């Protein structure tokens, strides 16, 4: 997640604000302290404007039910 976020020059706080997530959520996901729910994955993907391939790369094949 950090790679996708950083490449878009978006801070953790900015991503949380755009995605409507609680403060600290992105840090906990990036540090593998929590696993995101499908809803959180959707919010992150939408906020980062990820392509389908990027979503699959970031969250795995079944994360969005694509496959």
């Amino acid at each position: 997640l950090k790679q996708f976020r950083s490449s878009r020059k978006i801070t953790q706080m900015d991503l949380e604000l755009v995605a409507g997530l609680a403060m600290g959520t992105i840090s906990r996901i990036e540090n593998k302290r929590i696993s995101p729910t499908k809803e959180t994955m959707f919010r992150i993907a939408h906020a980062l404007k990820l392509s389908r391939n990027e979503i699959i790369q970031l969250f795995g094949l079944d994360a969005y039910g694509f496959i």
Side-chain angles (χ1 to χ4, degrees):
L1 175 56
K2 184 175 182 178
Q3 178 184 0
F4 288 100
R5 179 180 57 74
S6 296
S7 70
R8 288 162 171 80
K9 299 184 181 2
I10 298 175
T11 66
Q12 289 179 347
M13 184 180 290
D14 287 341
L15 180 54
E16 289 163 345
L17 288 172
V18 173
L21 301 172
M23 286 193 57
T25 300
I26 298 301
S27 175
R28 289 192 298 275
I29 292 170
E30 288 182 352
N31 291 304
K32 310 246 188 271
R33 285 186 266 151
I34 63 169
S35 295
T37 64
K38 282 190 178 184
E39 174 67 22
T40 299
M41 287 185 248
F42 174 79
R43 288 173 179 239
I44 291 169
H46 183 68
L48 292 175
K49 299 178 177 144
L50 298 178
S51 70
R52 180 179 173 173
N53 287 339
E54 289 173 322
I55 292 167
I56 291 169
Q57 183 181 353
L58 179 59
F59 296 119
L61 294 177
D62 294 326
Y64 270 167
F66 287 140
I67 296 177

